[in-house]
């Protein structure tokens, strides 16, 4: 994650720090979820095979960081209000292990994400997210499937 301060408005400094900790977890440190999300955190929608709650997401982070070497998440901007935030970010890395059934390609990628978070007492309670996985498949040469 970049150390530069992204543009943001309407979000508290504490909630912004919680977001930074949350995204830092994706870089191979799932225990950071303990600091940034509640135990019964709602991740909407769940990924295939993902169990509910904070502890159900930790294996996903471990698999994600194994699949993508040099994984970084850069927060592009944040807008928010009391106890809520919208985040635009970009995930970059190199594909080095199976992900969504795609064998490792060694290719670098850039994946835009848009997420919406709800906070309570300094922790994230809900996350709604959208990723451009079709774009990722295309970058990996896996879409469309060749016959």
């Amino acid at each position: 994650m970049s150390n530069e301060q992204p543009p943001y408005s309407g979000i508290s400094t504490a909630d912004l720090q919680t977001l930074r900790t949350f995204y830092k977890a994706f870089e191979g440190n799932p225990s950071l979820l303990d600091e940034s999300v509640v135990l019964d955190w709602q991740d909407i929608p769940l990924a295939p095979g993902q169990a509910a709650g904070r502890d159900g997401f930790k294996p996903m982070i471990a698999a994600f960081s194994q699949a993508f070497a040099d994984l970084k998440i850069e927060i592009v901007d944040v807008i928010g209000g009391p106890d809520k935030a919208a985040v635009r970010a970009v995930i970059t890395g190199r594909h080095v292990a199976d992900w969504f059934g795609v064998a490792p390609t060694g290719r670098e990628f850039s994946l835009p994400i848009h997420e919406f978070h709800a906070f309570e007492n300094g922790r994230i309670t809900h996350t709604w997210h959208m990723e451009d996985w079709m774009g990722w498949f295309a970058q990996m040469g896996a879409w469309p499937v060749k016959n």
Side-chain angles (χ1 to χ4, degrees):
M1 196 162 89
S2 172
N3 288 330
E4 293 181 25
Q5 175 104 349
Y8 69 94
S9 68
I11 184 172
S12 72
T13 302
D15 287 347
L16 183 61
Q17 184 56 45
T18 296
L19 286 174
R20 288 181 172 145
T21 301
F22 173 75
Y23 290 114
K24 188 73 175 162
F26 285 81
E27 296 177 9
N29 192 351
S31 67
L32 289 175
L33 288 180
D34 297 341
E35 300 174 32
S36 56
V37 303
V38 297
L39 185 60
D40 62 346
W41 169 64
Q42 301 295 305
D43 183 32
I44 305 164
L46 294 175
Q50 178 183 345
R54 176 176 71 202
D55 291 336
F57 193 63
K58 288 178 181 178
M60 299 300 293
I61 286 180
F64 197 70
S65 62
Q66 287 177 346
F68 305 114
D70 306 323
L71 181 77
K72 297 291 177 215
I73 299 180
E74 178 184 354
I75 297 174
V76 177
D77 67 86
V78 178
I79 56 173
D83 301 320
K84 59 185 173 186
V87 176
R88 185 170 34 149
V90 176
I91 303 172
T92 58
R94 190 170 32 87
H95 180 217
V96 296
D98 185 81
W99 187 254
F100 284 142
V102 178
T105 63
R107 293 182 182 181
E108 293 186 6
F109 69 93
S110 177
L111 176 69
I113 61 173
H114 298 85
E115 298 194 320
F116 307 91
H117 303 279
F119 299 87
E120 187 175 292
N121 298 320
R123 297 262 166 79
I124 300 169
T125 62
H126 294 77
T127 298
W128 296 265
H129 54 93
M130 297 177 288
E131 300 89 4
D132 182 13
W133 287 113
M134 299 249 322
W136 180 82
F137 282 113
Q139 289 178 61
M140 296 305 103
W143 193 268
V145 176
K146 297 178 182 176
N147 293 331

